[in-house]
Structure formats: C-alpha cells, structure tokens
Amino acid sequence: MSKKLIGAGLLFASSSAFAAYAINEAVKAPPQAPGAVRVAAGPQAPGGSAGASLAAQPQEGAALVDNCAPIRAAIDAARLQNVAVIFGNGAGEICRYKKGAIEYNQKLALASATKLLTGILSYRMIQAGKITANAKPQQYFGYWTNSASDNRSKITLEQLLAFTSGFNTKDANLLSCVYNAYTTLDLCIRRIYLGNLDSVPGAVYFYGPHHMQVAAGMLDAADTGDFGAIFARYVTTPLGLTNTSYALQSAANPWAAAGGESTAEDYAVIMQALFNGTLVTDLNNFFAPRTLTATKGEVPAAILANNGSQWEYAQGSWVECEYGTGGANYATQCANDKINSSPGAWGFTPWIDRQNGYWALIATEDHDNGAEKGVELEQVLQPLMVAAL
C-alpha cells in the first residue's frame, strides 16, 4: 500500500483530423456522480476558518456529510498564504477552497506546471498524426545533423519531453536563450544545438529548460502557425478556455518548460479533461516513467525535500514513485503508482491520482520558496482527498 494511503504523506502538487480529437463541451460541466456528495462554495459559517467557506450539499434525503472539512483545515494550516485548491474526479468538481488574496479566475504564472501542458500538446499532436514520439529534430530543422556518429541525431521527441535528451542546462542559467524575450524560438533552438550535448540521449535525467524548447520547435514546425496558436488549436480552444497561454518570454520565443500562465478554473478544466481521457487517449503511456534506467543528474530541491528522491519522470510530469530504489519489481511497482504531478517553482501544483480516481490542483504564485510549499501541501492533501472520495 502506498505510504500516502497510510498517512505518511501527512509530513508535508485542425481540420477533420483535429475534429476527431475535439473535446466534448460537456466535460466542462459534467453531471454529478450518482450518490456523490457535492461540496460547493457557500457562506462563511460563524466561527469557521478564515478562508472561503464551503457548504456541503448532499442529494435530497441524504445525511449532511462534509468530507472536505479536513482538506480545508489542511489548507488553512499550510505555509502558503494566498492559495486556491480545486479537487474533483471524472464526474466533475468535488470541492474548492481558497484563502488569502487570490481568486479562482486570477491569472497566475505556472512556472514548471507548464511542463504538463507542453506534454499534453505533444500528445494531442501525436494523436492527430502531426508528429510521432520517435520524431527527431533533423526531420524539422535543416541545419540539424543526421550523422550517426553525432549523438544529436539520435534525440527523439519522447526524450525531450522526458528531460533525457542530453541538453543539460540548469534553469538557473539566466544566460540561456530560453529567458530572452528578444530572440525567436528558432534562433534559440539553433543556439541550444550549437551548445552540443552534455550526455548521451536517454542516459541522464536533467531538469533543465532546453529539452522542451527543442520539442516546442519541433511541434511548431510540424503544424502551421506559431507555437501559441498551435497550443490554442489543440488544447485551449476545444475546451473553451481563454485564460491559459504561454506568456513568457514572448510570443516569438515561448518558454515551453515554464512560461505558461493560467487560472485555477482554466487549469481545473484541463485536469478533468485529461483525467477523463478526452485530451490524451492513452494515459498509461503518457504517464509512464521514462527515467527508470537513467542517471539522475538534476532534480529540483523542492522534490527532494518532500520524499521525492525516488520519483521518476514521464512526458511533462513526475511519476510519484514510493517504493524506493532496488528490487526486481521496482519498475513495475513504480509504473503502478499512478500519481503524476507537475509542480511549479512558485507553488502552482497540479496532480492526477489514477489509482484512487481523482485530480486536483494547488493554484498560487509564491515567490518565496513556493515550490517547496506547494509540493509539501500536495503531499498533505493527497490522503485527505482519497478519504473524501
């Protein structure tokens, strides 16, 4: 049994082809699951917490049960001061809660919560037949080597999305073109290419900004229009969303790994559509660990600080493996621990628990160690959300 479930987590988130993958608008407001207790925003109860109150609204004739009370209490106790949390399952939203100076429709910088969006876009385009997981940069960039003796010719889209391409540059390296609003995506990728590799593709996991920047250029070249327009075409427009985009560094040079912005409400729609398989049809493949045999070259401190030293990486999301290293069954066990998350540097943390059947997100923008606070709260909320189902 996962340690989260026994409470240890309490220690601390085009065209006809495109039409075939269009999202049913009903996903934004699905019916309530039979027998479920719906918890919705309501007036503040006297003597209640300082956050936005939730009132339980059970079906007619059912006993009043407020399964979200422990969730609210944990949010009130969390180090994050301005935070909104939304939690739901395949049938829709179960409860939401916020405290401090924040709104559900407030645009927030996603930082690395953007990575999940880039992964989703990639797989939407794979499903539409625009690109493949095994596609290579030289298929899209005329200057890219095709020489078998040059490891740059061996990189695949899958490796770029798994941060194992070998382009190992730290996020803190502000000299990177990824942070330059005055260049273009193509020029940035050329600079990354000329910088060469630091490791053999597939051999080392390194949490840096360059992998996804190259992936974004491949997606851009595989379709028509700029990257932002492509993201809207495949992800936000089908969902009817208008407040989610790649805002940084610029429209000409979108930061594919961390430049997104969104609202809690928009991201919740994305999470439910993802959970239901209407965005990505093969979730087992999308969420499967790609780094089981890779050396860990760079893992964010916020992950390591919250029992994440053995987490693996999928396609834009962490696989929250909880079995430790070693053992003949580790790969199988890790793949079966179906919690995937994409925490951002400023605390915005979405995750999906397919084993227990829910999705959730922590929406915040805290520039004072927000990443650690966000993952910390995520770990606390996970067993409480399982209990609330």
Side-chain angles (χ1 to χ4, degrees):
M1 180 181 292
S2 166
K3 65 172 172 275
K4 291 192 181 73
L5 301 185
I6 58 174
L10 289 170
L11 292 174
F12 293 42
S14 69
S15 84
S16 59
F18 171 65
Y21 300 96
I23 306 300
N24 191 323
E25 283 295 312
V27 76
K28 294 192 294 183
Q32 186 170 330
V37 174
R38 173 69 174 177
V39 181
Q44 176 79 26
S49 72
S53 177
L54 297 177
Q57 298 177 353
Q59 294 181 342
E60 185 176 356
L64 181 66
V65 178
D66 186 357
N67 290 333
C68 288
I71 295 172
R72 296 198 302 273
I75 297 167
D76 282 337
R79 290 194 291 157
L80 286 169
Q81 295 303 304
N82 304 302
V83 58
V85 174
I86 303 181
F87 156 51
N89 59 16
E93 185 179 309
I94 295 174
C95 65
R96 61 172 58 192
Y97 187 65
K98 66 186 181 73
K99 73 172 185 179
I102 195 168
E103 300 299 335
Y104 296 110
N105 62 355
Q106 179 178 337
K107 282 189 179 181
L108 301 166
L110 298 176
S112 285
T114 306
K115 291 177 172 61
L116 180 58
L117 301 184
T118 300
I120 290 170
L121 171 60
S122 300
Y123 272 68
R124 292 282 289 164
M125 293 182 65
I126 289 171
Q127 291 165 187
K130 293 291 185 177
I131 198 168
T132 68
N134 292 321
K136 297 182 177 181
Q138 59 265 35
Q139 297 173 234
Y140 303 95
F141 311 128
Y143 57 85
W144 203 283
T145 182
N146 198 36
S147 172
S149 63
D150 190 325
N151 282 325
R152 290 175 297 183
S153 71
K154 302 174 184 179
I155 297 168
T156 65
L157 177 63
E158 182 176 66
Q159 291 169 339
L160 291 163
L161 296 174
F163 292 75
T164 61
S165 72
F167 287 121
N168 304 337
T169 295
K170 291 187 178 183
D171 283 319
N173 181 6
L174 297 180
L175 296 177
S176 169
C177 59
V178 170
Y179 308 104
N180 187 349
Y182 301 102
T183 190
T184 66
L185 181 59
D186 182 65
L187 289 174
C188 185
I189 293 169
R190 287 173 186 261
R191 180 169 173 176
I192 293 169
Y193 170 77
L194 293 173
N196 219 322
L197 298 177
D198 303 290
S199 59
V200 175
V204 175
Y205 173 84
F206 198 99
Y207 196 80
H210 286 177
H211 315 273
M212 277 193 167
Q213 204 72 358
V214 176
M218 292 171 65
L219 299 177
D220 188 81
D223 207 286
T224 57
D226 61 31
F227 184 79
I230 294 169
F231 176 69
R233 183 178 306 134
Y234 286 94
V235 181
T236 56
T237 298
L239 290 170
L241 305 179
T242 59
N243 290 315
T244 302
S245 65
Y246 288 74
L248 297 175
Q249 294 298 337
S250 67
N253 187 33
W255 184 4
E261 69 174 12
S262 188
T263 66
E265 289 181 339
D266 263 25
Y267 214 110
V269 172
I270 293 171
M271 292 299 285
Q272 188 181 339
L274 182 62
F275 180 89
N276 283 337
T278 49
L279 272 177
V280 175
T281 56
D282 188 350
L283 291 179
N284 285 332
N285 179 44
F286 181 63
F287 282 139
R290 275 18 184 238
T291 56
L292 290 167
T293 61
T295 299
K296 301 302 189 297
E298 176 76 10
V299 177
I303 302 297
L304 297 176
N306 287 281
N307 302 320
S309 61
Q310 309 308 331
W311 291 8
E312 301 294 342
Y313 208 76
Q315 300 282 269
S317 69
W318 290 96
V319 188
E320 296 193 10
C321 302
E322 300 202 343
Y323 295 94
T325 57
N329 297 321
Y330 171 64
T332 300
Q333 291 172 324
C334 181
N336 288 335
D337 197 7
K338 295 180 171 60
I339 299 178
N340 286 73
S341 60
S342 188
W346 300 311
F348 199 111
T349 305
W351 74 96
I352 282 180
D353 183 340
R354 292 178 295 130
Q355 184 171 3
N356 292 296
Y358 76 91
W359 55 267
L361 64 91
I362 297 166
T364 187
E365 189 176 334
D366 185 337
H367 291 250
D368 180 18
N369 203 22
E372 183 172 324
K373 296 174 187 176
V375 179
E376 177 183 294
L377 178 57
E378 177 211 9
Q379 301 305 297
V380 170
L381 291 178
Q382 285 174 354
L384 302 180
M385 289 175 171
V386 172
L389 292 172

